[in-house]
Amino acid sequence: MSFDKGFLEMMPQTITYLAYSSISTDGFAAPTWTSTSAAKSVYGRVQAVRQDVRSVSTREIVTTTFKVLLAPWSQAGTSDTVTVTPLDKIILPTGFLGAGSCSPPIVKAYPVQDEDGHHHNEVWL
């Protein structure tokens, strides 16, 4: 991994990551994610930004939004990699955007690469 552990000093929040699992078969076709017992805690940094963002379906969203930078592995160790996609779910720390924890929809997400490989994840909410 090319991620320098010194960057963790700039990632003060703990974000919960749930990988996309499937579409529910209950007739509503809602997305389902891995169970909360399989959730991963990831070091991250939440930044408020104002930027024009295009979703995966290229729909333009002009708003104040949040960019979340996530380490490329969970807090469990470097062998437990995390690559966030727009179908996944992240839960921000308690009280960050309101009372309790929250899980805003992911507008876009992608791994950021450097010359050595996966450096970190960038997630737009």
Side-chain angles (χ1 to χ4, degrees), residues 92-108:
L92 298 177
T94 301
F96 191 80
L97 295 176
S101 61
C102 65
S103 180
I106 296 175
V107 175
K108 65 180 178 176

Side-chain angles (χ1 to χ4, degrees), residues 12-28:
Q13 286 101 11
T14 297
I15 313 273
T16 303
Y17 166 76
L18 295 164
Y20 171 79
S21 178
S22 65
I23 295 291
S24 69
T25 57
D26 61 1
F28 295 103

Side-chain angles (χ1 to χ4, degrees), residues 14-18 36 39-42 70 89-93:
T14 297
I15 313 273
T16 303
Y17 166 76
L18 295 164
T36 53
K40 298 179 181 181
S41 296
V42 183
L70 294 172
K89 181 178 184 176
I90 62 170
I91 302 170
L92 298 177

Side-chain angles (χ1 to χ4, degrees), residues 17 19 40 71-73 81-85 88 109-111 113 118 121:
Y17 166 76
K40 298 179 181 181
W73 59 77
T81 60
V82 172
T83 302
V84 183
T85 71
D88 296 334
Y110 49 88
Q113 306 288 330
H118 187 184
N121 296 290

Side-chain angles (χ1 to χ4, degrees), residues 4-100:
D4 181 4
K5 291 191 183 228
F7 281 107
L8 293 178
E9 294 174 7
M10 296 184 288
M11 297 183 169
Q13 286 101 11
T14 297
I15 313 273
T16 303
Y17 166 76
L18 295 164
Y20 171 79
S21 178
S22 65
I23 295 291
S24 69
T25 57
D26 61 1
F28 295 103
T32 60
W33 297 276
T34 55
S35 67
T36 53
S37 63
K40 298 179 181 181
S41 296
V42 183
Y43 291 109
R45 177 178 197 87
V46 181
Q47 299 175 317
V49 293
R50 184 170 183 92
Q51 185 169 355
D52 297 345
V53 176
R54 290 195 180 271
S55 68
V56 176
S57 62
T58 69
R59 190 181 86 206
E60 188 171 349
I61 302 167
V62 183
T63 184
T64 301
T65 186
F66 290 91
K67 178 170 70 172
V68 180
L69 303 174
L70 294 172
W73 59 77
S74 75
Q75 292 176 350
T78 58
S79 63
D80 190 17
T81 60
V82 172
T83 302
V84 183
T85 71
L87 295 173
D88 296 334
K89 181 178 184 176
I90 62 170
I91 302 170
L92 298 177
T94 301
F96 191 80
L97 295 176

